[in-house]
Amino acid sequence: MLFNSYAFIFGFLPVTLVVFYLLGRNIGIRAGIGWLVICSLFFYGWWNPAYLGLIVGSMMFNFIVGTSLARRVGRPGNRTLLLLGVGVNLGLIAYFKYANFFVGNLNTVAGTDYNLGVIILPLAISFFTFQQITFLIDSYVGKVKEYNLLNYCLFVTFFPQLIAGPIVHHSEMMPQFARRSLANPRAINLAVGLSIFALGLFKKAVLADGIAPYADSVFADAENGQALDAIAAWGGALSYTFQLYFDFSGYSDMAIGLARMFSIRLPLNFNSPYKATNIIDFWRRWHMTLSRFLRDYVYIPLGGNRKGNARRHVNMLATMLIGGLWHGAGWTFVVWGGLHGLYLVINHFWQVLRRSAGFGGDGGWLGRSTGQAITFLAVVVGWVFFRALTFDGALVMLEGMAGLNGVALPAAIAHRAGALASSLQAAGVEFSTGGGGDFLKTWGWIAVLIAITFLLPNTQEIMRRYKPVLGYVSLAVRRLEWRPTPVWACGIAALLAVGVLSLPEVSVFLYFQF
């Protein structure tokens, strides 16, 4: 079931919400939590009921192993039990997500013809498995203090964050589930949650889905081997850059808003990443809970920065390669991860160079703007590999973006450019017939989304007064701050209405495939 569907908005959500508070207030919080677990499993099974057994079996296995680890902290054999638990979880992901990828590569290298058949990837397997790995490791080191099975089931299946995150820690959620006041509905929580949900729905249904066709058509041409000029290639790359941005930002807002309706705060997962002034800052803002997982459970166990700079950079590259492979079983994802690992290494070298040269601070407005522009361009290049289905398609895109196929504009622009058209032609710009409408729509969308991305506050800044997420403090200038007033109610209602009216063309969130 999708957040951006009539069935969810007008059926599943109101029924789940009303019954949760009725049960919680009249019978007890345990009944309310039990209802949420049942509804979350129904939500998951809506996609494919056959995989309900998989998620339930995974929960039972990890709960038994995790509680055993927590009760045996420091005892002999506990490390073996941890390795067994983590190994089973990784084995589950390896089979469903990577088995055909590895077998295909083995066949290519060894000339064999192994065939595992079609393996359907269970929805959200990466997210709920990684979340449970954090539970096992936290249990092993003694961080887990609460062993309630019902609460654990909600921790894993809580539907607002089940499908695409954020990846939460046991210690972040259990204290909230244990609150006696959880089942007492508060108008402010419902208002804040609905407002955040409406903002997210508008981002997804209107902005992300609105620009998606202009990205899809260009990448499809690239996959077909069609040469792209610089304007077309950059139009496609930037269209996808903003499609992914508003798709994931919209999902993250909707997840946070839904949880808040149930009086639960989730950790921040998306914080204006395109405003980052360097690639390190970007990864502190993009998919923040995945970055946290990779740092705590991959980078640091590999040695982090404790074994010298050379080892630090190797660990960084290895972590980002794993992060790339996590996103998809394909070499384009591995290249994307490796590219970001290289970006991070270069960024660290640059910071060391600046410090050794005696340059402190951020370079002022010019330094921040330059860093932001370079970071954004580097990210756009990376997204080409992330989006392309094949290396050939990615290379066609990059060739076009590099200007190797020239620059072309619609002939209609030449008629309106006057004397400037001659100067453009002298500079090597070609004018082609047709395509004027698509050109204006593509670059019109891009211009609007650039303005929204870089000039407006994000959702957390708008909702800052009401602490929308765990542990986030916004230091932004107080612009467009949400308040429970009639003006804001009308504005949010308008956004919600536009979002709902856009739902006949429902599309899956991009991160659902991971």
Side-chain angles (χ1 to χ4, degrees):
M1 191 179 298
L2 298 172
F3 294 164
N4 55 326
S5 66
Y6 289 135
F8 180 86
I9 294 173
F10 298 112
F12 177 85
L13 178 59
V15 170
T16 302
L17 194 63
V18 169
V19 175
F20 168 72
Y21 282 119
L22 286 176
L23 288 175
R25 294 192 68 181
N26 296 308
I27 299 178
I29 188 58
R30 310 310 304 160
I33 288 178
W35 168 253
L36 269 186
V37 171
I38 292 170
C39 291
S40 295
L41 289 173
F42 175 82
F43 174 84
Y44 184 81
W46 181 274
W47 170 74
N48 189 340
Y51 283 119
L52 275 174
L54 177 69
I55 192 172
V56 171
S58 174
M59 283 192 299
M60 295 302 102
F61 171 80
N62 282 288
F63 180 76
I64 292 170
V65 174
T67 52
S68 298
L69 288 168
R71 291 175 176 135
R72 293 164 44 87
V73 173
R75 295 184 185 178
N78 227 26
R79 181 178 177 82
T80 301
L81 183 59
L82 172 66
L83 292 175
L84 172 65
V86 172
V88 169
N89 281 282
L90 293 180
L92 197 66
I93 294 181
Y95 173 73
F96 283 104
K97 195 167 184 176
Y98 303 108
N100 274 326
F101 172 66
F102 287 122
V103 167
N105 282 281
L106 176 63
N107 288 339
T108 300
V109 172
T112 53
D113 190 27
Y114 297 116
N115 186 359
L116 297 178
V118 177
I119 300 175
I120 299 175
L121 180 66
L123 193 64
I125 187 170
S126 294
F127 287 95
F128 71 71
T129 303
F130 273 28
Q131 195 158 297
Q132 294 188 99
I133 288 174
T134 68
F135 169 69
L136 295 183
I137 296 173
D138 288 349
S139 297
Y140 174 75
V141 298
K143 291 182 179 179
V144 174
K145 306 297 181 185
E146 199 264 339
Y147 316 119
N148 184 282
L149 176 59
L150 188 60
N151 284 0
Y152 180 79
C153 290
L154 186 59
F155 159 71
V156 176
T157 65
F158 188 41
F159 74 88
Q161 49 84 209
L162 170 62
I163 305 300
I167 301 171
V168 298
H169 282 274
H170 190 267
S171 59
E172 291 172 329
M173 306 305 292
M174 290 306 180
Q176 298 191 71
F177 296 157
R179 292 199 322 264
R180 292 183 178 275
S181 61
L182 184 65
N184 295 326
R186 295 183 61 200
I188 192 62
N189 282 339
L190 294 171
V192 168
L194 183 59
S195 297
I196 296 174
F197 180 85
L199 289 167
L201 180 63
F202 182 83
K203 288 179 183 179
K204 166 59 178 172
V206 178
L207 303 183
D209 290 352
I211 199 170
Y214 307 105
D216 293 342
S217 63
V218 174
F219 275 92
D221 289 341
E223 293 295 340
N224 291 328
Q226 180 176 323
L228 302 171
D229 71 277
I231 299 295
W234 275 102
L238 288 172
S239 293
Y240 180 71
T241 295
F242 288 106
Q243 178 198 359
L244 182 59
Y245 181 91
F246 285 101
D247 190 281
F248 193 32
S249 177
Y251 168 82
S252 298
D253 285 351
M254 294 168 83
I256 289 168
L258 289 167
R260 186 61 175 265
M261 293 182 203
F262 292 89
S263 302
I264 297 294
R265 284 187 174 91
L266 296 177
L268 183 60
N269 205 32
F270 197 92
N271 185 23
S272 298
Y274 290 169
K275 293 179 181 178
T277 55
N278 57 60
I279 205 69
I280 297 172
D281 188 27
F282 173 82
W283 279 104
R284 290 172 180 157
R285 294 166 173 262
W286 178 275
H287 209 332
M288 298 160 68
T289 57
L290 176 62
S291 297
R292 177 178 66 175
F293 178 91
L294 293 173
R295 180 198 66 201
D296 293 347
Y297 301 106
V298 179
Y299 176 69
I300 291 177
L302 286 174
N305 60 1
R306 301 188 304 273
K307 299 182 179 180
N309 284 329
R311 178 64 180 274
R312 174 192 195 182
H313 296 145
V314 170
N315 292 340
M316 201 177 298
L317 280 168
T319 300
M320 293 310 298
L321 286 170
I322 292 171
L325 192 59
W326 176 88
H327 280 87
W331 287 110
T332 52
F333 288 107
V334 175
V335 170
W336 172 78
L339 192 60
H340 272 272
L342 182 61
Y343 289 163
L344 289 169
V345 171
I346 293 171
N347 197 173
H348 279 283
F349 273 123
W350 172 248
Q351 290 187 342
V352 171
L353 183 63
R354 289 184 76 248
R355 285 194 296 267
S356 63
F359 293 103
D362 55 13
W365 178 86
L366 180 60
R368 290 192 299 273
S369 299
T370 302
Q372 191 175 75
I374 292 172
T375 301
F376 179 72
L377 290 175
V379 169
V380 173
V381 171
W383 287 143
V384 170
F385 288 99
F386 194 85
R387 170 61 176 80
L389 300 178
T390 64
F391 277 122
D392 289 341
L395 292 177
V396 169
M397 284 291 297
L398 293 175
E399 287 172 359
M401 292 165 69
L404 299 183
N405 300 316
V407 179
L409 290 171
I413 293 179
H415 297 310
R416 292 170 174 78
L420 179 60
S422 299
S423 300
L424 291 173
Q425 283 181 315
V429 176
E430 298 179 0
F431 290 95
S432 57
T433 58
D438 285 342
F439 174 85
L440 291 176
K441 290 175 184 176
T442 298
W443 288 97
W445 265 110
I446 290 171
V448 169
L449 297 185
I450 284 175
I452 294 172
T453 301
F454 291 100
L455 300 180
L456 294 182
N458 62 35
T459 303
Q460 286 68 45
E461 290 166 343
I462 293 172
M463 308 299 298
R464 67 190 293 274
R465 184 181 292 268
Y466 296 90
K467 300 178 180 178
V469 291
L470 288 173
Y472 175 74
V473 178
S474 171
L475 301 177
V477 177
R478 296 185 177 185
R479 303 176 292 161
L480 292 176
E481 270 199 0
W482 183 92
R483 290 179 176 83
T485 63
V487 173
W488 269 105
C490 291
I492 292 296
L495 290 179
L496 184 60
V498 173
V500 169
L501 290 173
S502 302
L503 293 183
E505 298 181 6
V506 174
S507 65
V508 176
F509 290 93
L510 295 179
Y511 257 78
F512 277 24
Q513 64 185 296
F514 308 132

